[in-house]
Amino acid sequence: MDDYLILRELPEPISRDDLHDAAEKSGETLDELRDEGVDIRWVDSEVLTNDDGDVTGTFCHYQAESEDAVREHADRAGLPATRIDQQGEPLAGED
């Protein structure tokens, strides 16, 4: 599997409850895809917020057999996939 980073920009901010609902739908969709033989796994996500604390998007890290698998997951789960890129070599942060 390859590592993919997905930017999910939202057209309008959503609440944390809405984010939780989207995460549940995402998990259900991952299970469905795996049941169909698609090799895909969610690793983690970083949540983007505005000054009011509303969710404006996410950066998600997935491992998958292909970019098409990542896009299929987003489409079926009803999630935006503004940009999908393979993860490159990480840079070290400050100590």
Side-chain angles (χ1 to χ4, degrees):
M1 284 198 291
D2 292 314
D3 288 278
Y4 293 91
L5 299 176
I6 302 99
L7 170 61
R8 300 188 193 284
E9 291 180 311
L10 300 173
E12 297 291 327
I14 62 173
S15 69
R16 291 281 177 170
D17 287 340
D18 292 335
L19 179 63
H20 177 74
D21 292 344
E24 282 190 9
K25 178 62 177 168
S26 173
E28 292 168 3
T29 303
L30 287 169
D31 288 341
E32 290 170 7
L33 287 167
R34 286 190 289 256
D35 287 347
E36 295 170 16
V38 177
D39 204 5
I40 187 168
R41 178 179 169 265
W42 172 60
V43 178
D44 61 14
S45 295
E46 297 289 335
V47 177
L48 309 173
T49 61
N50 61 19
D51 290 340
D52 295 327
D54 295 322
V55 177
T56 58
T58 60
F59 281 109
C60 299
H61 177 190
Y62 280 71
Q63 292 177 329
E65 62 186 44
S66 67
E67 181 179 330
D68 288 342
V70 174
R71 193 166 305 284
E72 179 69 17
H73 168 262
D75 289 346
R76 287 194 198 186
L79 301 171
T82 310
R83 184 172 175 161
I84 301 171
D85 290 297
Q86 279 194 285
Q87 183 179 25
E89 291 297 318
L91 298 174
E94 295 180 318
D95 292 332

